[in-house]
Amino acid sequence: MGKRVAVVLAGCGVFDGSEIHEAAAALVHLSRGGAEVKIFAPNIEQKDVVNHLKGSPTEEKRNVLVESARLARGNIQDLAELKASEFDAVIFPGGFGVAKNLCSWATDGKNCTVNEHVNSTLQAFHSAKKPIGLCCISPVLAAKVFPGCEVTVGQDKNVDGRFPDAETASAIAELGCKHICKNVNESHVDKANKIVTTCAFMCKAPLHEIFDGIGTMVQEVLKLA
């Protein structure tokens, strides 16, 4: 039987939810790796709803679990129901929804708070010494919850204009964590904490390179599981 992996989503759409390409890439690589996947999201209201055509917020209200169900093809559960004992690993794709809905990094940076069910999920997998995979902005969750851990969000300088959010690496360091510089097609494994991270869309790169980088993260998570 394949490894049992929980995937935690934050909505549907890069600007207010999970990044769709990242979520799909993680699910494709997990499928290829023979994993048995179940998808979860917190049953909470989104911080905001963004018109993805205009890039501007709307007055609309949406629910994170309901929106995430779009990506899960309806097969999804409330994050409050996730039991770490029933899984071998957990993966968090990125997207602004992570920084808005799963925590408050978008507005509060390193002083953010983490959603209670996200926090308890991370703590449960970590305590059980089960691997945690994160990509794009999601590594800030680990940085906030596990001081001293090692993560990557790409580079700590805006190399060739490809890493416009490089200052995130400094904020991670200010939390007492170690930021490891990696290219988009690479991932970093914090062996002590069993945390695997890759930068994904934190880098301005072709989609296939982001897909491949997420593939390395998934492969490393499955190896550790």
Side-chain angles (χ1 to χ4, degrees):
M1 194 170 97
K3 301 293 171 63
R4 302 164 301 168
V5 181
V7 173
V8 180
L9 299 180
C12 181
V14 58
F15 299 130
D16 58 15
S18 288
E19 211 297 319
I20 293 170
H21 299 293
E22 292 180 13
L27 292 169
V28 169
H29 286 295
L30 285 166
S31 175
R32 184 171 285 150
E36 179 186 328
V37 176
K38 288 191 178 176
I39 304 173
F40 297 84
N43 187 10
I44 56 174
E45 188 176 293
Q46 288 186 187
K47 178 173 175 57
D48 63 7
V49 177
V50 175
N51 179 323
H52 279 58
L53 180 61
K54 296 180 178 178
S56 56
T58 71
E59 296 300 313
E60 203 176 335
K61 302 292 183 188
R62 295 194 186 186
N63 177 281
V64 175
L65 179 59
V66 172
E67 290 302 295
S68 297
R70 294 173 179 271
L71 285 169
R73 298 172 61 85
N75 189 6
I76 193 168
Q77 294 172 260
D78 186 341
L79 182 60
E81 298 171 7
L82 194 163
K83 294 180 177 64
S85 60
E86 297 177 356
F87 294 90
D88 301 305
V90 65
I91 287 178
F92 290 78
F96 277 105
V98 172
K100 292 178 174 181
N101 304 325
L102 303 192
C103 71
S104 63
W105 187 277
T107 50
D108 301 327
K110 64 180 177 24
N111 298 315
C112 72
T113 55
V114 178
N115 170 275
E116 61 174 319
H117 295 302
V118 173
N119 184 65
S120 62
T121 295
L122 289 166
Q123 295 281 10
F125 277 84
H126 188 258
S127 296
K129 294 182 168 47
K130 293 179 177 181
I132 299 166
L134 310 111
C135 66
C136 193
I137 193 63
S138 291
V140 301
L141 296 172
K144 185 67 181 180
V145 176
F146 307 118
C149 72
E150 298 176 358
V151 298
T152 188
V153 289
Q155 300 292 322
D156 56 11
K157 294 182 178 61
N158 190 8
V159 182
D160 299 326
R162 298 176 75 228
F163 294 90
D165 301 304
E167 73 276 0
T168 304
S170 301
I172 285 168
E174 288 173 25
L175 285 169
C177 298
K178 186 173 183 181
H179 180 266
I180 310 296
C181 290
K182 290 284 183 178
N183 290 321
V184 67
N185 59 345
E186 300 175 313
S187 56
H188 176 70
V189 181
D190 177 347
K191 292 180 181 175
N193 290 295
K194 290 195 172 182
I195 294 170
V196 188
T197 50
T198 189
C199 68
F201 276 103
M202 294 293 274
C203 177
K204 288 186 174 178
L207 181 57
H208 70 276
E209 292 184 11
I210 290 161
F211 182 87
D212 291 347
I214 292 171
T216 68
M217 180 266 286
V218 169
Q219 288 164 18
E220 293 296 340
V221 166
L222 293 177
K223 277 186 205 170
L224 289 171

